[in-house]
Amino acid sequence: MATATNALGFPLVSIILWLPVAAGLVCWLINDPRTVRMIAVAAALIDLLLALFLLVKFELPGAGTAGWTFQFADRHAWISTIGVSYWVGVDGVSIILVALASLMMSVAILAATFMIADRQRLFLILMLFLETAILGVFVSINLFLFFVFWEAMLIPSYFLLGVWGEERRVYATMKFVIYTVLGSFLMLVGIFYLWSQTGTLDMAGPHGLVANPVSQGAQNWLFLAFGLAFAIKTPLFPFHAWAPTAYTESPLPFLIALAGILSKAGAFGFVRYSLPLFPSASHSWQALVSILAIIGLLYAAVLALVQTDIKKIVAYASISHMNLIVLGIFTLNATGLDGAVLQMVNHSIIISGLFLAVAYIFARTGTRFLNGMGGLGERWPWLMWLFFVFVLAGLDLPGLGSFAGEILIFLGVFAENAWFAVIGALVVILAAWYMIRFFQNTMNGPVAVSADEVAVLAEAPGRTPYQYPVLRRLIPGDLLPGEIALFVPLILLIIYIGIQPYTLTQRINPTMQPVTTLVNRGSLPGFGGGR
Amino acid sequence: MIVAVIHINVTLADWGSVLPELIIAGGMLLLMLVDVFVPGKKVNLTTWLTLIILALAFAASWNLWRTGGMASALYGTVTSDRFAMFFDFSILISAALAVLISPGYISTSAFDSGEYYALILGAVLGMMLMAAGLSLMVLFIALELLSLALYILSGFERFRPRSQEAGFKYFLLSSFASAFLLYGFALLYGVTGSTSLIKISTCLAGHAHGCSAAATSSPLLYIGIGLMLVGFAFKVSIVPFHMWTPDVYEGAPTPVTAFMSVATKAALFAAFIRVFSMSLSTVESHWYGALWALAIATMVVGNIAALAQSNMKRLLAYSGIAHAGYILVAMAANNALGQSAVAFYFLAYTFMNIGAFVFVAYLETTGRAGDEIASYRGIFYRNPALALPMAIFMFSLAGFPPTAGFFAKYVAFQAAVQAGHVDLVVVGVITSLVSVVYYLRVVAVMFLQPAEEAAPVEQPVPPEQPPAVEQVPASAEPVTRPQLPWNIDVGIWTAALGSIVLGIIPTGLLTYASESVTAVRALFGLP
């Protein structure tokens, strides 16, 4: 059984959740672009501060208490005839993802203020809507509410990718939407079925879904229905085909949201829903999912190795790392799960940083292809050194963020199946290889072309150098202060998590312990609910 | 020789329970008189008059809803229970929205507005009676009344061959279907000895005195059910009786299409539920199999055929067929939740579907080929106030949260799962996925592909300053960024607001829907 409390006494989670939409609606009524920018940025930053406040206030359970607790919960009746309530709150995993999401959305919205010039107001409004949808996915304690937010993410995404995307945006958008909807519609059938079996869609509470698992036979099917949705969003091999196109065609601020946060929603779905709701099915499918994840992480890493489009290199790197996270989740032990959640944070930061670097390079060279680059570091040292930090973090240098996460994942995998760990760990070599190749071919070596010779794409009005097709006027010099400002919080976090991952794991672990107990024993200690 | 002594025993309350219908009937006559006696151009006058009549009828319906109405009035031929009133709301709202967008269409197509509005009210009258009918005779008369009005309305643009074709096709095929329905009614009467739906249900339940015990297994009952099913299926365009729909929808004047695509179906489904789910509920096994097959065929064919459409009105016709399939899934559930889902679905469908037709109707009056999807290319960049609500309608029809369409579909499917029909829901969900493709293709055309004329602008804009207003080349048509006429504005945003509000706070209306179903179930003695 999972329980929900609210020590604060007022619905802070709901405030965090709805603030961006409210700000978006205000922006809708305002025509002045400066004011709109200010409101959007302010809303994102206030949300970030509130989320950090929540992170600090989050009460760590004592050593003796076992149980899965949602804190700062806020519950209202909604449509009780069909088991639907408005119920939000955070556990140790979602509090971290809420903070992460509000950080990444702040970075993305800040980036949008100077990277998107074309219909900027609408872009910012959609980003704010997207933020609420993403936060909603993380804070819902009712399955229906979760599904509503999960699907609602798609609507702003559709426009953000489709209107502001690059040349093949229409194709990428349709592919993205159809893949995602395929998964989520089957999940909907699963939700109907769960409701017809249990009569509720609440997660927590004595009558909630966690306390009343469905029969083993049903679990196997429901696991597939839910798992497909999460696998597509993550994206787990072989359901990843939408991701490279969508990542490549996305405008950068949306890409930070997409690769940085939306993909975490899939992994979060596994942790929050698949494992606790279908414990015995998780065991049945564990080997299959792990093998898919191993294939995926190696396959995507190999593809990253051969790309010439730098945006694609990062896209495949992202997919590879997301598969590693799924591998960590399906260790079904607390070590692997801790590592997976920690790695979600690291992945989000590193991938966003790398995509930012890609955008900065693009804004200066007008191309994304390796053959047009080389020797950029000589001309733009700031760009090179800051980019280098992300490259090092991407190849898991000890002392930087992702090292701790990956070690934990592989420890977890090793405990389950040593062969999986050995084969999976090959990715470390591949990651180092493609990261260094990426860095060297862009920053080091002889200067390939000067800025004047760069093939200039068609001019388009209302575009910035960061967007496709670029303006003829590229950015001539090294990183601008605004660009550095986007890098700074990410780099600080990478270093901080590298030194002190305990800040995160001490929150993750108390939530993952009961979840693993649930998965491995079928019920939580101290509560009667059987399998 | 028998001399029948008829006691006239109709109280004022009886008339009160058909007050909404009486208002519409009176209004219809009034409009005809206005048409004859008021000289000159009178589009505005008749439009306002029609809207006022509809509003009065709405108020009367609301009053009946509030008081609960009369379970059975006028010798048990009609009812004013909440179920009828709930469907009246959908019918009246869709009629009002259709009337609201008609003036522009009337002036471009040079209609005679008096007749036009009188006929719309005639159709509304038929529909409201259809939803309220408790007797097979009333149902048939109502059906003929609404059908006749719609035949004329479909062919109303008599100088446009497509409209003529639509009217004629609709007339021929639909009267054939009416005959089926009538034949089915006759057989049902023959088996049970009554035209009253309530008496039929007690007879089939075996409680009635003087009703043959063999009635439930009589072959005539099977044939009658089959014939009625064909008749209803034709009128609400269920596969394989859907062939007329795309042609008629495409040819008929767009406001008429908008109106009939929603209101006709609402009225017919109300009667469908009263006859099948209520009156014939004891013999569910006779018709469930056929309904199951029809639902699957409708969802599959409707959605797949819609994929291939390049004309918006045809696309909406097939989408309407597909939605009839989803509604059939809710009906097949044959439980209280399923029936409230049907009632709620129509309210949601009213807003999202008519909204889409408002969009088409407006574009047709601007002189563009308003029903060709290809002509919507980049419309967002020319006229965002038109494209944004249309996107809402498309997302709602496709069933994305947080819109009305999602919620309606959710409840419909949930009812079916509750009744154990997981197979229907799986088909419904998979075909919904197909529908995402064609609905979002419309959005993609509007938003993702900038119109050619909007692309080249001479001055590159510095990145720091976003362009305030997109420049339109002088050569472009003067209609590029128009202020929408107020009636289109009101119509389209009402529909958009309805499509969203019903998705976010559906609780109240869902409660109303289930109250209405409780009323009708009580009438037929169902739990």
Side-chain angles (χ1 to χ4, degrees), chain A residues 78-79 82 117 119 122 144 147-148 151 154-155 158-159 162-163 169 177 181-182 185 188-189 192 195-196 201, chain B residues 380-381 395 400-401 406-407 410 413-414 417 429 432-433 437 440 443-444 447-448 450 466-467 470 504 506-507 510:
Chain A
W78 190 13
I79 314 157
I82 53 168
R119 272 165 256 276
L122 191 60
F144 179 88
F147 184 81
V148 166
E151 282 285 276
L154 207 54
I155 299 176
Y158 176 87
F159 292 108
V163 176
R169 62 181 179 276
V177 167
V181 170
L182 172 72
F185 275 23
L188 189 58
V189 180
F192 290 137
W195 180 77
S196 71
L201 289 175
Chain B
F380 166 65
Y381 301 93
F395 276 106
F400 279 83
F406 164 72
F407 198 77
Y410 185 91
F413 288 171
Q414 185 147 60
V417 173
V429 164
S432 299
L433 175 68
V437 176
L440 291 201
V443 185
F447 284 78
L448 312 191
E470 189 189 328
I504 296 173
T507 324
L510 197 68

Side-chain angles (χ1 to χ4, degrees), chain B residues 43-304:
Chain B
V43 181
N44 280 334
L45 174 69
T46 46
T47 308
W48 277 110
L49 211 53
T50 317
L51 284 175
I52 289 167
I53 291 161
L54 289 170
L56 285 175
F58 193 94
S61 301
W62 176 251
N63 189 44
L64 283 172
W65 169 277
R66 220 168 35 79
T67 58
M70 260 177 102
S72 108
L74 295 170
Y75 300 108
T77 51
V78 292
T79 171
S80 53
D81 63 1
R82 290 191 163 166
F83 189 67
M85 292 308 124
F86 197 87
F87 277 89
D88 282 359
F89 296 152
S90 292
I91 294 165
L92 290 168
I93 292 171
S94 54
L97 285 172
V99 168
L100 192 67
I101 58 166
S102 291
Y105 206 88
I106 289 173
S107 49
T108 37
S109 310
F111 282 1
D112 203 345
S113 63
E115 275 167 41
Y116 174 81
Y117 288 132
L119 284 166
I120 284 197
L121 288 187
V124 170
L125 177 59
M127 289 164 186
M128 288 168 73
L129 276 176
M130 193 88 203
L134 269 190
S135 149
L136 295 176
M137 293 311 293
V138 173
L139 288 185
F140 186 72
I141 293 169
L143 180 69
E144 284 306 281
L145 181 54
L146 78 91
S147 301
L148 277 173
L150 288 177
Y151 301 150
I152 308 173
L153 283 170
S154 308
F156 211 79
E157 279 181 83
R158 57 182 185 277
F159 302 112
R160 198 159 60 88
R162 302 225 54 142
S163 179
Q164 284 179 350
E165 183 196 325
F168 197 58
K169 204 174 241 170
Y170 191 30
F171 170 65
L172 281 183
L173 292 173
S174 189
S175 40
F176 198 55
S178 296
F180 269 94
L181 200 61
L182 188 59
Y183 204 169
F185 284 171
L187 290 178
L188 192 57
Y189 171 75
V191 173
T192 61
S194 174
T195 56
S196 155
L197 293 180
I198 294 174
K199 283 187 185 150
I200 290 171
S201 98
T202 44
C203 172
L204 291 175
H207 304 316
H209 182 68
C211 179
S212 157
T216 52
S217 56
S218 158
L220 288 183
L221 181 64
Y222 281 95
I223 300 172
I225 287 176
L227 291 171
M228 286 191 295
L229 209 52
V230 171
F232 277 118
F234 180 90
K235 299 281 180 179
V236 296
S237 57
I238 284 170
V239 175
F241 310 103
H242 66 290
M243 301 295 185
W244 59 277
T245 319
D247 292 340
V248 174
Y249 279 22
E250 190 191 359
T254 308
V256 173
T257 313
F259 170 60
M260 69 193 261
S261 69
V262 175
T264 318
K265 274 188 197 167
L268 262 299
F269 258 106
F272 203 175
I273 286 179
R274 259 192 224 280
V275 175
F276 277 79
S277 309
M278 300 295 152
S279 205
L280 301 176
S281 64
T282 44
V283 289
E284 187 199 347
S285 57
H286 291 19
W287 49 266
Y288 173 71
L291 210 62
W292 181 89
L294 289 176
I296 287 188
T298 308
M299 289 187 289
V300 171
V301 173
N303 279 309
I304 289 177

Side-chain angles (χ1 to χ4, degrees), chain A residues 21-347:
Chain A
V21 148
L25 291 175
V26 171
C27 290
W28 193 289
L29 303 174
I30 294 173
N31 256 324
D32 176 43
R34 271 185 75 89
T35 322
V36 167
R37 272 201 294 272
M38 266 171 52
I39 292 174
V41 170
L45 290 178
I46 291 171
D47 236 27
L48 173 61
L49 287 178
L50 291 176
L52 290 177
F53 173 74
L54 221 53
L55 188 66
V56 174
K57 275 286 190 186
F58 187 82
E59 201 178 309
L60 298 170
T65 54
W68 183 10
T69 317
F70 290 96
Q71 299 187 18
F72 316 114
D74 179 23
R75 180 174 190 169
H76 299 281
W78 190 13
I79 314 157
S80 45
T81 46
I82 53 168
V84 172
S85 66
Y86 171 81
W87 198 3
V88 294
V90 288
D91 64 4
V93 174
S94 54
I95 180 63
I96 285 170
L97 291 174
V98 165
L100 179 73
S102 50
L103 171 72
M104 285 305 155
M105 292 308 286
S106 304
V107 171
I109 285 173
L110 276 170
T113 57
F114 66 91
M115 289 192 181
I116 302 291
D118 186 23
R119 272 165 256 276
Q120 189 190 48
R121 182 175 69 130
L122 191 60
F123 191 95
L124 292 173
I125 291 170
L126 288 169
M127 287 296 276
L128 289 167
F129 286 0
L130 184 62
E131 179 165 359
T132 288
I134 295 171
L135 291 173
V137 165
F138 294 141
V139 301
S140 302
I141 316 182
N142 183 287
L143 199 49
F144 179 88
L145 192 64
F146 165 78
F147 184 81
V148 166
F149 284 122
W150 175 272
E151 282 285 276
M153 287 196 299
L154 207 54
I155 299 176
S157 304
Y158 176 87
F159 292 108
L160 287 165
L161 175 55
V163 176
W164 287 271
E166 304 192 357
E167 200 177 3
R168 292 170 68 221
R169 62 181 179 276
V170 180
Y171 169 73
T173 310
M174 288 313 270
K175 201 165 165 183
F176 168 62
V177 167
I178 289 167
Y179 263 83
T180 317
V181 170
L182 172 72
S184 48
F185 275 23
L186 289 177
M187 177 160 75
L188 189 58
V189 180
I191 293 176
F192 290 137
Y193 190 80
L194 268 180
W195 180 77
S196 71
Q197 293 294 301
T198 62
T200 183
L201 289 175
D202 285 334
M203 289 291 288
H207 305 295
L209 293 170
V210 176
N212 302 293
V214 291
S215 74
Q216 223 172 78
Q219 277 190 23
N220 280 329
W221 290 107
L222 290 170
F223 180 89
L224 285 186
F226 279 70
L228 183 66
F230 301 145
I232 288 173
K233 200 72 147 199
T234 306
L236 174 69
F237 178 86
F239 310 105
H240 66 287
W242 62 271
T245 29
Y247 286 6
T248 319
E249 303 302 317
S250 288
L252 185 93
F254 172 63
L255 188 52
I256 294 178
L258 179 64
I261 296 297
L262 262 66
S263 58
K264 306 304 169 295
F268 172 76
F270 280 123
V271 175
R272 165 65 72 79
Y273 295 98
S274 293
L275 265 46
L277 293 186
F278 320 120
S280 75
S282 300
H283 275 291
S284 318
W285 296 104
Q286 180 186 17
L288 178 72
V289 177
S290 300
I291 289 170
L292 288 179
I294 289 173
I295 296 174
L297 69 91
L298 293 175
Y299 173 71
V302 169
L303 285 179
L305 206 51
V306 297
Q307 301 301 318
T308 53
D309 179 344
I310 55 175
K311 212 170 175 184
K312 278 220 165 95
I313 295 177
V314 183
Y316 280 110
S318 168
I319 295 169
S320 171
H321 279 94
M322 283 313 295
N323 277 278
L324 181 61
I325 290 171
V326 175
L327 183 64
I329 293 171
F330 277 85
T331 58
L332 306 183
N333 59 42
T335 319
L337 277 162
D338 286 353
V341 177
L342 187 58
Q343 198 58 11
M344 286 188 211
V345 179
N346 292 323
H347 173 269

Side-chain angles (χ1 to χ4, degrees), chain A residues 393-407:
Chain A
L395 53 81
D396 308 322
L397 190 77
L400 294 179
S402 58
F403 179 69
E406 256 176 51
I407 284 289

Side-chain angles (χ1 to χ4, degrees), chain B residues 62 65 82 86 89 340 507-517:
Chain B
W62 176 251
W65 169 277
R82 290 191 163 166
F86 197 87
F89 296 152
S340 9
T507 324
L509 284 166
L510 197 68
T511 315
Y512 280 5
S514 69
E515 273 171 23
S516 77
V517 169

